Amino acid sequence: MLKAISHKLINYKLNRGMTYVELIVVLSIFSVMSSVVLFNYTKFEDKVNIKVLANDVALKIVEAQNSSVSGKWNTSAGSTWKPSYGLYFNLTPGANTSEKIFYSFMDLNQSKLFEAGVYNCPAAGSECLERIDIKKNNYVSDITAFYQVGGSVSINDLQIIFT
């Protein structure tokens, strides 16, 4: 009787592993879970990238506003210059304009316009402070101006200036 018990105990210890069917089931479940996670991760990453872009634009607007309000002086400006800073967006495709670029600038000549002909960033005497390239396949698709009395219009370029 002792031999029968020890023989069953040895057989039991040898047969405690996984069968091929169990292994295939576990790997299938793992692969399905992995594909679901990876599929949802790309959507999640896209949403995060859009939020980061929106925050970057908002940060640049606040920087321009703060520079103007605080009276940040520029050595390239004349003695009668009033601190004026802003952002420039232009969606018309061109060498220096695109839906993937926007500019931070200072209005040196007080024209209340970004001197679009000078895109050297940063360069001495240029109004352009920084060229911001939008990354990760994001871009500005449309600029729409909304009016207080109602209505809206789609535009190709936008200048935000704080004086």
Side-chain angles (χ1 to χ4, degrees):
M1 171 116 176
L2 189 55
K3 277 188 167 187
I5 292 175
S6 67
H7 184 60
K8 285 183 180 180
L9 189 58
I10 291 172
N11 283 340
Y12 175 73
K13 285 184 179 179
L14 291 176
N15 293 330
R16 284 192 351 192
M18 294 177 64
T19 66
Y20 285 119
V21 173
E22 292 170 329
L23 183 63
I24 290 171
V25 168
V26 168
L27 290 176
S28 313
I29 292 171
F30 180 74
S31 64
V32 167
M33 295 292 284
S34 297
S35 64
V36 167
V37 167
L38 289 176
F39 180 73
N40 287 334
Y41 178 74
T42 55
K43 285 183 180 179
F44 171 74
E45 187 178 33
D46 290 343
K47 286 180 184 179
V48 168
N49 288 338
I50 290 294
K51 286 181 182 181
V52 167
L53 173 60
N55 286 336
D56 287 347
V57 171
L59 177 67
K60 291 298 180 184
I61 289 172
V62 170
E63 281 180 10
Q65 184 181 24
N66 286 341
S67 295
S68 179
V69 170
S70 69
K72 182 178 176 184
W73 194 256
N74 189 292
T75 56
S76 301
S79 60
T80 60
W81 182 70
K82 294 177 186 145
S84 298
Y85 294 87
L87 293 182
Y88 175 67
F89 296 84
N90 189 338
L91 303 185
T92 307
N96 294 310
T97 60
S98 163
E99 66 275 357
K100 295 178 91 42
I101 300 170
F102 66 97
Y103 294 91
S104 172
F105 71 95
M106 63 184 152
D107 187 14
L108 285 175
N109 60 5
Q110 301 292 286
S111 66
K112 296 190 175 28
L113 294 172
F114 175 55
E115 301 302 326
V118 183
Y119 289 102
N120 299 328
C121 286
S126 169
E127 287 194 345
C128 188
L129 295 173
E130 182 181 7
R131 172 185 162 152
I132 298 102
D133 293 308
I134 300 171
K135 307 272 192 241
K136 299 195 177 191
N137 295 325
N138 292 323
Y139 58 92
V140 178
S141 63
D142 186 34
I143 300 173
T144 304
F146 292 94
Y147 298 104
Q148 187 174 12
V149 293
S152 65
V153 64
S154 184
I155 55 179
N156 284 337
D157 63 16
L158 172 69
Q159 298 183 45
I160 303 168
I161 301 172
F162 297 96
T163 301

